[in-house]
Short mmCIF file of all heavy atoms in Angstrom, two decimals:
data_model
loop_
_atom_site.label_atom_id
_atom_site.label_comp_id
_atom_site.label_asym_id
_atom_site.label_seq_id
_atom_site.Cartn_x
_atom_site.Cartn_y
_atom_site.Cartn_z
N ARG A 1 16.48 46.46 108.38
CA ARG A 1 15.04 46.36 108.64
C ARG A 1 14.78 45.58 109.95
O ARG A 1 13.84 45.89 110.69
CB ARG A 1 14.34 45.71 107.48
CG ARG A 1 14.31 46.55 106.22
CD ARG A 1 13.48 45.87 105.11
NE ARG A 1 12.09 45.66 105.53
CZ ARG A 1 11.21 44.96 104.85
NH1 ARG A 1 11.58 44.36 103.73
NH2 ARG A 1 9.98 44.82 105.28
N ALA A 2 15.57 44.54 110.22
CA ALA A 2 15.41 43.78 111.45
C ALA A 2 15.70 44.66 112.66
O ALA A 2 14.99 44.58 113.67
CB ALA A 2 16.32 42.56 111.42
N ILE A 3 16.74 45.48 112.56
CA ILE A 3 17.02 46.42 113.64
C ILE A 3 15.81 47.34 113.85
O ILE A 3 15.50 47.69 115.00
CB ILE A 3 18.29 47.22 113.33
CG1 ILE A 3 19.52 46.30 113.42
CG2 ILE A 3 18.46 48.42 114.27
CD1 ILE A 3 20.82 46.93 112.94
N GLY A 4 15.15 47.68 112.77
CA GLY A 4 13.98 48.55 112.88
C GLY A 4 12.84 47.96 113.69
O GLY A 4 12.01 48.72 114.22
N VAL A 5 12.78 46.61 113.79
CA VAL A 5 11.73 46.00 114.64
C VAL A 5 12.29 45.57 115.98
O VAL A 5 11.61 44.90 116.74
CB VAL A 5 11.04 44.81 113.91
CG1 VAL A 5 10.39 45.27 112.62
CG2 VAL A 5 12.00 43.67 113.66
N GLY A 6 13.55 45.97 116.27
CA GLY A 6 14.08 45.74 117.60
C GLY A 6 15.09 44.63 117.73
O GLY A 6 15.58 44.35 118.84
N VAL A 7 15.47 43.99 116.64
CA VAL A 7 16.45 42.91 116.70
C VAL A 7 17.84 43.51 116.93
O VAL A 7 18.18 44.53 116.37
CB VAL A 7 16.44 42.10 115.36
CG1 VAL A 7 17.62 41.19 115.23
CG2 VAL A 7 15.12 41.33 115.25
N VAL A 8 18.66 42.81 117.74
CA VAL A 8 20.00 43.33 118.05
C VAL A 8 21.11 42.32 117.73
O VAL A 8 22.27 42.55 118.03
CB VAL A 8 20.09 43.79 119.52
CG1 VAL A 8 19.15 44.97 119.76
CG2 VAL A 8 19.81 42.62 120.49
N GLY A 9 20.75 41.20 117.13
CA GLY A 9 21.71 40.22 116.70
C GLY A 9 21.04 39.31 115.67
O GLY A 9 19.82 39.28 115.55
N ALA A 10 21.86 38.56 114.93
CA ALA A 10 21.28 37.69 113.91
C ALA A 10 22.25 36.62 113.46
O ALA A 10 23.49 36.79 113.52
CB ALA A 10 20.84 38.50 112.68
N ASN A 11 21.69 35.52 112.97
CA ASN A 11 22.42 34.57 112.16
C ASN A 11 22.19 34.96 110.69
O ASN A 11 21.06 35.25 110.29
CB ASN A 11 21.84 33.16 112.29
CG ASN A 11 21.94 32.59 113.67
OD1 ASN A 11 22.60 33.13 114.55
ND2 ASN A 11 21.26 31.47 113.89
N VAL A 12 23.25 34.98 109.92
CA VAL A 12 23.12 35.14 108.47
C VAL A 12 24.00 34.09 107.82
O VAL A 12 25.20 33.99 108.12
CB VAL A 12 23.52 36.54 108.01
CG1 VAL A 12 23.40 36.66 106.48
CG2 VAL A 12 22.65 37.62 108.67
N GLU A 13 23.42 33.27 106.95
CA GLU A 13 24.10 32.14 106.31
C GLU A 13 25.01 32.62 105.17
O GLU A 13 24.66 33.54 104.45
CB GLU A 13 23.09 31.17 105.73
CG GLU A 13 22.06 30.65 106.75
CD GLU A 13 20.87 30.02 106.07
OE1 GLU A 13 20.82 29.95 104.82
OE2 GLU A 13 19.91 29.61 106.78
N ASP A 14 26.13 31.92 105.01
CA ASP A 14 26.96 32.20 103.83
C ASP A 14 26.50 31.44 102.60
O ASP A 14 26.82 31.82 101.48
CB ASP A 14 28.43 31.97 104.10
CG ASP A 14 28.80 30.51 104.38
OD1 ASP A 14 27.95 29.63 104.29
OD2 ASP A 14 29.98 30.27 104.70
N GLN A 15 25.72 30.34 102.83
CA GLN A 15 25.22 29.53 101.72
C GLN A 15 26.35 29.13 100.75
O GLN A 15 26.13 28.91 99.57
CB GLN A 15 24.08 30.24 101.00
CG GLN A 15 22.90 30.52 101.93
CD GLN A 15 21.77 31.29 101.31
OE1 GLN A 15 21.93 31.95 100.28
NE2 GLN A 15 20.60 31.24 101.92
N LEU A 16 27.54 29.03 101.30
CA LEU A 16 28.76 28.69 100.55
C LEU A 16 28.99 29.59 99.33
O LEU A 16 29.52 29.15 98.32
CB LEU A 16 28.76 27.22 100.17
CG LEU A 16 28.90 26.21 101.32
CD1 LEU A 16 29.19 24.82 100.78
CD2 LEU A 16 29.98 26.62 102.31
N ARG A 17 28.62 30.86 99.50
CA ARG A 17 29.01 31.84 98.47
C ARG A 17 30.54 31.89 98.40
O ARG A 17 31.21 31.52 99.33
CB ARG A 17 28.45 33.22 98.81
CG ARG A 17 26.93 33.32 98.81
CD ARG A 17 26.51 34.76 99.14
NE ARG A 17 25.07 34.95 99.10
CZ ARG A 17 24.26 34.80 100.14
NH1 ARG A 17 24.77 34.50 101.33
NH2 ARG A 17 22.96 34.98 100.02
N PRO A 18 31.10 32.39 97.32
CA PRO A 18 32.53 32.60 97.28
C PRO A 18 32.99 33.36 98.50
O PRO A 18 32.33 34.29 98.97
CB PRO A 18 32.75 33.41 96.00
CG PRO A 18 31.60 33.00 95.11
CD PRO A 18 30.43 32.81 96.05
N LEU A 19 34.13 32.96 99.06
CA LEU A 19 34.55 33.47 100.37
C LEU A 19 34.66 34.99 100.37
O LEU A 19 34.24 35.63 101.34
CB LEU A 19 35.86 32.83 100.76
CG LEU A 19 36.42 33.25 102.13
CD1 LEU A 19 35.40 33.04 103.23
CD2 LEU A 19 37.69 32.48 102.43
N ALA A 20 35.23 35.59 99.35
CA ALA A 20 35.38 37.04 99.33
C ALA A 20 34.02 37.73 99.40
O ALA A 20 33.83 38.73 100.10
CB ALA A 20 36.13 37.47 98.10
N GLU A 21 33.04 37.18 98.67
CA GLU A 21 31.70 37.76 98.70
C GLU A 21 31.06 37.60 100.07
O GLU A 21 30.41 38.54 100.60
CB GLU A 21 30.83 37.06 97.64
CG GLU A 21 29.38 37.54 97.61
CD GLU A 21 28.52 36.74 96.64
OE1 GLU A 21 29.07 36.06 95.75
OE2 GLU A 21 27.29 36.78 96.77
N ALA A 22 31.21 36.40 100.68
CA ALA A 22 30.60 36.17 101.98
C ALA A 22 31.22 37.07 103.05
O ALA A 22 30.50 37.59 103.90
CB ALA A 22 30.78 34.69 102.35
N ALA A 23 32.54 37.24 103.01
CA ALA A 23 33.19 38.12 103.98
C ALA A 23 32.78 39.56 103.78
O ALA A 23 32.59 40.30 104.74
CB ALA A 23 34.70 37.95 103.87
N ALA A 24 32.61 39.96 102.52
CA ALA A 24 32.15 41.32 102.22
C ALA A 24 30.75 41.53 102.75
O ALA A 24 30.40 42.64 103.21
CB ALA A 24 32.22 41.59 100.72
N ASN A 25 29.91 40.50 102.71
CA ASN A 25 28.57 40.60 103.27
C ASN A 25 28.63 40.86 104.77
O ASN A 25 27.86 41.66 105.32
CB ASN A 25 27.77 39.32 103.02
CG ASN A 25 27.05 39.31 101.68
OD1 ASN A 25 26.78 40.37 101.12
ND2 ASN A 25 26.77 38.13 101.17
N VAL A 26 29.55 40.18 105.46
CA VAL A 26 29.71 40.41 106.90
C VAL A 26 30.06 41.88 107.16
O VAL A 26 29.46 42.54 108.04
CB VAL A 26 30.78 39.48 107.49
CG1 VAL A 26 31.14 39.86 108.92
CG2 VAL A 26 30.32 38.03 107.44
#
């Protein structure tokens, strides 16, 4: 959705989720 308004980069926090889940989010 951010790309839809023209964003081309972002910060996204891991919020210390389990590492496998956080890497899968990436």
Side-chain angles (χ1 to χ4, degrees):
R1 291 184 60 189
I3 290 171
V5 300
V7 168
V8 296
N11 298 349
V12 180
E13 304 164 2
D14 64 5
Q15 300 177 341
L16 291 192
R17 295 182 177 92
L19 181 54
E21 177 185 343
N25 274 337
V26 170

